[in-house]
Amino acid sequence: MPSAQDLVLITGGTGHLGFRVLVDALHAGYNVRAAVRSQEKANAILEAPSVNAFSPSSSQLSFVIVENILEDGAYDEAVKGVQYIIHVASPISAKTEDIPEEEFDSYFIQPALKGTLGILKSASKISGIKRIVITSSEVAIIPWKEFYQEESDVIFNDQWKTPLAKAPYANKFEAYAASKVGALLATQDFVKENNPGFDVINMMPSFIVGKNELVTKVEEITSGTNGAALGQVLGVKNPYPNPSTTVFVNDIAKLHVLALDPKIPGNQSFLANSEGINGTNWGDAIDIVAKHYPEAVAKGILPNNGSQPTKSTLIDVSRTESVFGMKFEPYEVQVKSVVGHYLDLVGKK
């Protein structure tokens, strides 16, 4: 259990995952310092129902403005006085539609490396930091072809390693995956070469699905990875298959906070995925919605006539569940969380 003096710096607190991590850290008893890019972002956190209901004191929740996380020494001030860091922030914008192929390296790879190494370097300049938990990804260790393009009987676990693929990249998704590989390898090299006073745990979620409390407009609810689950319920027919890997946002957030416990050995990685080795069938969202929201379907509020194909990707997360003593919530819980939020927003409109 955290002591009253334990202060954790959380980056990315206005993101889908980062906000849930922040809320869980408060409920776990940590004092939280949230690094945000503006006061407006801080206000969004304070006004969110989960935080507002908790009513944290200024010592329980404080903010530090970090406008550009890619600047040298961006986190130098933010890390002072903290015992732990949970680094969720990503320097990569979700709006990547217009990035030309020749800029994939400068847009995806280099920012991922600089963003991760930046917080490690800032933390290493001071004493007293015990552990840094970093949000990595399943694509940091699963080869791109096996993950997205080719059917494979290989069962991947958190001990798997994959080299950093070099440019050119076939598309922005492959470049994003390479950025995660590069950030993980850079982190491991940094710890090995610098032997800092802290250790590092990398959390590797699959596609994160679940209510994003900071989304308050209906038109924004399909942004990010929630879109693949909810889009088909709203009638979107996506011809491109997604890997069979999803995790409930509450579960992966909880893991980030539990990973601060010194009883969990450091300098290792943990995969997070639901529905056993075979994983999720994305298209099951249609049946889940028909079962739980028949009235909304009948009224046309939920068309429930789209499609989202699935590509099999086999992942073993039994070690994560064993170490942390938890079972990942099934896809049904994830879908109900997102659809319930959508219906709440429609009702308020």
Side-chain angles (χ1 to χ4, degrees):
M1 293 292 293
S3 72
Q5 289 74 41
D6 284 338
L7 176 61
V8 55
L9 172 68
I10 297 178
T11 72
T14 54
H16 185 193
L17 171 60
F19 176 76
R20 194 68 241 168
V21 170
L22 183 151
V23 172
D24 280 9
L26 287 172
H27 281 281
Y30 290 97
N31 293 326
V32 172
R33 178 185 294 163
V36 293
R37 303 192 191 199
S38 66
Q39 185 58 47
E40 182 182 9
K41 297 285 189 181
N43 293 342
I45 291 174
L46 289 170
E47 293 165 5
S50 291
V51 173
N52 193 267
F54 188 87
S55 190
S57 67
S58 57
S59 61
Q60 289 175 308
L61 176 60
S62 59
F63 297 91
V64 57
I65 306 296
V66 181
E67 293 181 355
N68 183 359
I69 67 175
L70 293 180
E71 283 185 355
D72 290 339
Y75 289 109
D76 283 359
E77 291 299 315
V79 301
K80 291 180 178 178
V82 308
Q83 287 73 52
Y84 302 100
I85 298 172
I86 302 180
H87 184 48
V88 187
S90 170
I92 300 171
S93 168
K95 298 177 181 179
T96 61
E97 292 85 354
D98 301 323
I99 306 302
E101 182 179 337
E102 60 271 18
E103 294 181 19
F104 282 170
D105 183 76
S106 61
Y107 191 87
F108 290 100
I109 312 300
Q110 298 310 315
L113 293 174
K114 191 167 186 180
T116 301
L117 287 174
I119 201 158
L120 292 171
K121 290 176 180 178
S122 290
S124 67
K125 293 176 183 178
I126 62 173
S127 61
I129 296 177
K130 302 172 183 178
R131 172 167 293 173
I132 301 179
V133 177
I134 296 176
T135 306
S136 180
S137 168
E138 58 184 344
V139 297
I141 56 174
I142 302 176
W144 176 251
K145 286 185 177 180
E146 284 86 345
F147 182 68
Y148 237 118
Q149 296 177 323
E150 300 176 355
E151 295 291 339
S152 172
D153 294 328
V154 175
I155 300 175
F156 297 97
N157 60 37
D158 51 29
Q159 304 304 302
W160 200 270
K161 299 182 187 302
T162 190
L164 175 60
K166 301 297 183 183
Y169 302 107
N171 52 55
K172 62 185 179 183
F173 300 111
E174 184 179 8
Y176 169 79
S179 77
K180 288 298 187 180
V181 175
L184 174 64
L185 295 177
T187 298
Q188 293 171 339
D189 287 344
F190 181 91
V191 171
K192 182 178 180 181
E193 294 168 6
N194 294 278
N195 192 27
F198 54 82
D199 58 30
V200 177
I201 287 182
N202 283 280
M203 284 297 169
M204 300 178 165
S206 52
F207 288 83
I208 299 173
V209 179
K211 178 180 177 178
N212 182 352
E213 189 177 316
L214 295 183
V215 168
T216 57
K217 299 178 181 178
V218 172
E219 54 270 24
E220 295 175 357
I221 198 168
T222 55
S223 62
T225 48
N226 276 340
L230 183 60
Q232 58 190 309
V233 176
L234 300 180
V236 176
K237 293 178 170 59
N238 184 4
Y240 304 106
N242 269 351
S244 55
T245 61
T246 68
V247 65
F248 188 32
V249 64
N250 292 33
D251 283 346
I252 182 59
K254 180 181 178 181
L255 279 181
H256 279 70
V257 177
L258 289 176
L260 299 178
D261 190 335
K263 294 178 182 177
I264 307 293
N267 296 328
Q268 57 178 329
S269 301
F270 294 98
L271 276 167
N273 188 52
S274 62
E275 300 286 10
I277 289 174
N278 291 317
T280 292
N281 182 339
W282 287 90
D284 285 349
I286 299 297
D287 291 336
I288 292 168
V289 167
K291 173 184 174 183
H292 291 283
Y293 305 100
E295 185 176 342
V297 173
K299 290 181 177 179
I301 300 172
L302 300 174
N304 211 34
N305 58 2
S307 59
Q308 175 56 64
T310 301
K311 179 262 173 194
S312 176
T313 302
L314 308 179
I315 296 180
D316 180 6
V317 297
S318 58
R319 191 177 79 92
T320 303
E321 292 184 327
S322 175
V323 169
F324 289 93
M326 65 179 288
K327 184 75 175 176
F328 289 108
E329 294 284 5
Y331 185 51
E332 183 172 20
V333 170
Q334 302 165 33
V335 170
K336 287 174 63 180
S337 175
V338 177
V339 173
H341 186 204
Y342 175 78
L343 292 175
D344 286 344
L345 293 180
V346 169
K348 294 175 182 177
K349 200 170 182 181

